[in-house]
PDB file of all heavy atoms in Angstrom:
ATOM      1  N   LEU A 205      -8.782  -1.341  -0.523  1.00 89.00           N
ATOM      2  CA  LEU A 205      -9.466  -0.383   0.336  1.00 89.00           C
ATOM      3  C   LEU A 205      -9.292   1.037  -0.162  1.00 89.00           C
ATOM      4  O   LEU A 205      -8.248   1.388  -0.715  1.00 89.00           O
ATOM      5  CB  LEU A 205      -8.932  -0.471   1.761  1.00 89.00           C
ATOM      6  CG  LEU A 205      -8.933  -1.858   2.425  1.00 89.00           C
ATOM      7  CD1 LEU A 205      -8.045  -1.831   3.661  1.00 89.00           C
ATOM      8  CD2 LEU A 205     -10.348  -2.252   2.767  1.00 89.00           C
ATOM      9  N   THR A 206     -10.292   1.853   0.068  1.00 87.00           N
ATOM     10  CA  THR A 206     -10.147   3.292  -0.106  1.00 87.00           C
ATOM     11  C   THR A 206      -9.720   3.858   1.247  1.00 87.00           C
ATOM     12  O   THR A 206      -9.872   3.204   2.283  1.00 87.00           O
ATOM     13  CB  THR A 206     -11.476   3.939  -0.549  1.00 87.00           C
ATOM     14  OG1 THR A 206     -12.421   3.751   0.480  1.00 87.00           O
ATOM     15  CG2 THR A 206     -11.968   3.332  -1.867  1.00 87.00           C
ATOM     16  N   PRO A 207      -9.208   5.075   1.277  1.00 83.00           N
ATOM     17  CA  PRO A 207      -8.823   5.672   2.578  1.00 83.00           C
ATOM     18  C   PRO A 207      -9.980   5.690   3.573  1.00 83.00           C
ATOM     19  O   PRO A 207      -9.791   5.466   4.760  1.00 83.00           O
ATOM     20  CB  PRO A 207      -8.393   7.082   2.191  1.00 83.00           C
ATOM     21  CG  PRO A 207      -7.855   6.935   0.811  1.00 83.00           C
ATOM     22  CD  PRO A 207      -8.796   5.930   0.153  1.00 83.00           C
ATOM     23  N   ASP A 208     -11.208   5.924   3.094  1.00 81.00           N
ATOM     24  CA  ASP A 208     -12.361   5.957   3.988  1.00 81.00           C
ATOM     25  C   ASP A 208     -12.617   4.590   4.633  1.00 81.00           C
ATOM     26  O   ASP A 208     -13.122   4.521   5.730  1.00 81.00           O
ATOM     27  CB  ASP A 208     -13.617   6.406   3.255  1.00 81.00           C
ATOM     28  CG  ASP A 208     -13.557   7.863   2.832  1.00 81.00           C
ATOM     29  OD1 ASP A 208     -12.796   8.632   3.442  1.00 81.00           O
ATOM     30  OD2 ASP A 208     -14.261   8.218   1.874  1.00 81.00           O
ATOM     31  N   GLU A 209     -12.275   3.525   3.936  1.00 81.00           N
ATOM     32  CA  GLU A 209     -12.501   2.175   4.453  1.00 81.00           C
ATOM     33  C   GLU A 209     -11.446   1.735   5.458  1.00 81.00           C
ATOM     34  O   GLU A 209     -11.655   0.768   6.199  1.00 81.00           O
ATOM     35  CB  GLU A 209     -12.560   1.160   3.306  1.00 81.00           C
ATOM     36  CG  GLU A 209     -13.769   1.369   2.399  1.00 81.00           C
ATOM     37  CD  GLU A 209     -13.677   0.562   1.130  1.00 81.00           C
ATOM     38  OE1 GLU A 209     -12.582   0.426   0.548  1.00 81.00           O
ATOM     39  OE2 GLU A 209     -14.738   0.050   0.706  1.00 81.00           O
ATOM     40  N   LEU A 210     -10.320   2.424   5.512  1.00 72.00           N
ATOM     41  CA  LEU A 210      -9.264   2.040   6.465  1.00 72.00           C
ATOM     42  C   LEU A 210      -9.773   2.081   7.907  1.00 72.00           C
ATOM     43  O   LEU A 210      -9.456   1.199   8.692  1.00 72.00           O
ATOM     44  CB  LEU A 210      -8.036   2.948   6.326  1.00 72.00           C
ATOM     45  CG  LEU A 210      -7.161   2.708   5.102  1.00 72.00           C
ATOM     46  CD1 LEU A 210      -6.041   3.749   5.078  1.00 72.00           C
ATOM     47  CD2 LEU A 210      -6.593   1.307   5.094  1.00 72.00           C
ATOM     48  N   GLY A 211     -10.560   3.074   8.237  1.00 62.00           N
ATOM     49  CA  GLY A 211     -11.089   3.174   9.584  1.00 62.00           C
ATOM     50  C   GLY A 211     -12.015   2.032   9.924  1.00 62.00           C
ATOM     51  O   GLY A 211     -12.068   1.580  11.062  1.00 62.00           O
ATOM     52  N   ASP A 212     -12.728   1.496   8.926  1.00 57.00           N
ATOM     53  CA  ASP A 212     -13.654   0.389   9.161  1.00 57.00           C
ATOM     54  C   ASP A 212     -12.941  -0.894   9.527  1.00 57.00           C
ATOM     55  O   ASP A 212     -13.505  -1.736  10.222  1.00 57.00           O
ATOM     56  CB  ASP A 212     -14.485   0.121   7.883  1.00 57.00           C
ATOM     57  CG  ASP A 212     -15.397   1.284   7.548  1.00 57.00           C
ATOM     58  OD1 ASP A 212     -15.681   2.117   8.432  1.00 57.00           O
ATOM     59  OD2 ASP A 212     -15.828   1.362   6.371  1.00 57.00           O
ATOM     60  N   VAL A 213     -11.710  -1.070   9.068  1.00 55.00           N
ATOM     61  CA  VAL A 213     -11.003  -2.322   9.333  1.00 55.00           C
ATOM     62  C   VAL A 213     -10.034  -2.228  10.511  1.00 55.00           C
ATOM     63  O   VAL A 213      -9.448  -3.217  10.911  1.00 55.00           O
ATOM     64  CB  VAL A 213     -10.219  -2.830   8.085  1.00 55.00           C
ATOM     65  CG1 VAL A 213     -11.183  -3.107   6.957  1.00 55.00           C
ATOM     66  CG2 VAL A 213      -9.144  -1.870   7.661  1.00 55.00           C
ATOM     67  N   ARG A 214      -9.896  -1.079  11.101  1.00 48.00           N
ATOM     68  CA  ARG A 214      -8.916  -0.888  12.185  1.00 48.00           C
ATOM     69  C   ARG A 214      -9.200  -1.772  13.385  1.00 48.00           C
ATOM     70  O   ARG A 214      -8.263  -2.182  14.079  1.00 48.00           O
ATOM     71  CB  ARG A 214      -8.874   0.568  12.638  1.00 48.00           C
ATOM     72  CG  ARG A 214      -8.213   1.538  11.700  1.00 48.00           C
ATOM     73  CD  ARG A 214      -6.690   1.377  11.588  1.00 48.00           C
ATOM     74  NE  ARG A 214      -5.964   1.342  12.820  1.00 48.00           N
ATOM     75  CZ  ARG A 214      -5.420   2.373  13.431  1.00 48.00           C
ATOM     76  NH1 ARG A 214      -5.517   3.573  12.936  1.00 48.00           N
ATOM     77  NH2 ARG A 214      -4.730   2.218  14.535  1.00 48.00           N
ATOM     78  N   ALA A 215     -10.455  -2.088  13.651  1.00 40.00           N
ATOM     79  CA  ALA A 215     -10.769  -2.851  14.857  1.00 40.00           C
ATOM     80  C   ALA A 215     -10.106  -4.214  14.848  1.00 40.00           C
ATOM     81  O   ALA A 215      -9.665  -4.708  15.891  1.00 40.00           O
ATOM     82  CB  ALA A 215     -12.278  -2.983  15.005  1.00 40.00           C
ATOM     83  N   GLY A 216     -10.009  -4.843  13.681  1.00 42.00           N
ATOM     84  CA  GLY A 216      -9.423  -6.181  13.629  1.00 42.00           C
ATOM     85  C   GLY A 216      -8.037  -6.218  13.045  1.00 42.00           C
ATOM     86  O   GLY A 216      -7.497  -7.281  12.806  1.00 42.00           O
ATOM     87  N   THR A 217      -7.467  -5.064  12.787  1.00 47.00           N
ATOM     88  CA  THR A 217      -6.162  -5.038  12.141  1.00 47.00           C
ATOM     89  C   THR A 217      -5.259  -4.005  12.800  1.00 47.00           C
ATOM     90  O   THR A 217      -5.729  -3.121  13.529  1.00 47.00           O
ATOM     91  CB  THR A 217      -6.290  -4.660  10.646  1.00 47.00           C
ATOM     92  OG1 THR A 217      -6.793  -3.330  10.568  1.00 47.00           O
ATOM     93  CG2 THR A 217      -7.212  -5.591   9.906  1.00 47.00           C
ATOM     94  N   ASP A 226      -3.637   5.288   8.057  1.00 77.00           N
ATOM     95  CA  ASP A 226      -4.830   6.168   8.090  1.00 77.00           C
ATOM     96  C   ASP A 226      -4.514   7.472   8.833  1.00 77.00           C
ATOM     97  O   ASP A 226      -5.081   8.512   8.524  1.00 77.00           O
ATOM     98  CB  ASP A 226      -6.029   5.448   8.641  1.00 77.00           C
ATOM     99  CG  ASP A 226      -5.916   5.046  10.100  1.00 77.00           C
ATOM    100  OD1 ASP A 226      -4.799   4.757  10.571  1.00 77.00           O
ATOM    101  OD2 ASP A 226      -6.972   4.975  10.764  1.00 77.00           O
ATOM    102  N   ARG A 230      -4.929  11.195   7.277  1.00 85.00           N
ATOM    103  CA  ARG A 230      -5.625  12.297   7.957  1.00 85.00           C
ATOM    104  C   ARG A 230      -4.720  13.539   8.014  1.00 85.00           C
ATOM    105  O   ARG A 230      -5.188  14.660   7.825  1.00 85.00           O
ATOM    106  CB  ARG A 230      -6.076  11.868   9.351  1.00 85.00           C
ATOM    107  CG  ARG A 230      -7.308  10.986   9.313  1.00 85.00           C
ATOM    108  CD  ARG A 230      -7.994  10.889  10.671  1.00 85.00           C
ATOM    109  NE  ARG A 230      -7.195  10.365  11.747  1.00 85.00           N
ATOM    110  CZ  ARG A 230      -7.064   9.073  12.055  1.00 85.00           C
ATOM    111  NH1 ARG A 230      -7.711   8.181  11.380  1.00 85.00           N
ATOM    112  NH2 ARG A 230      -6.307   8.699  13.049  1.00 85.00           N
TER     113      ARG A 230
END
Side-chain angles (χ1 to χ4, degrees):
L205 305 165
T206 64
D208 292 337
E209 294 169 321
L210 286 176
D212 296 340
V213 298
R214 287 290 309 267
T217 64
D226 66 330
R230 284 197 301 271

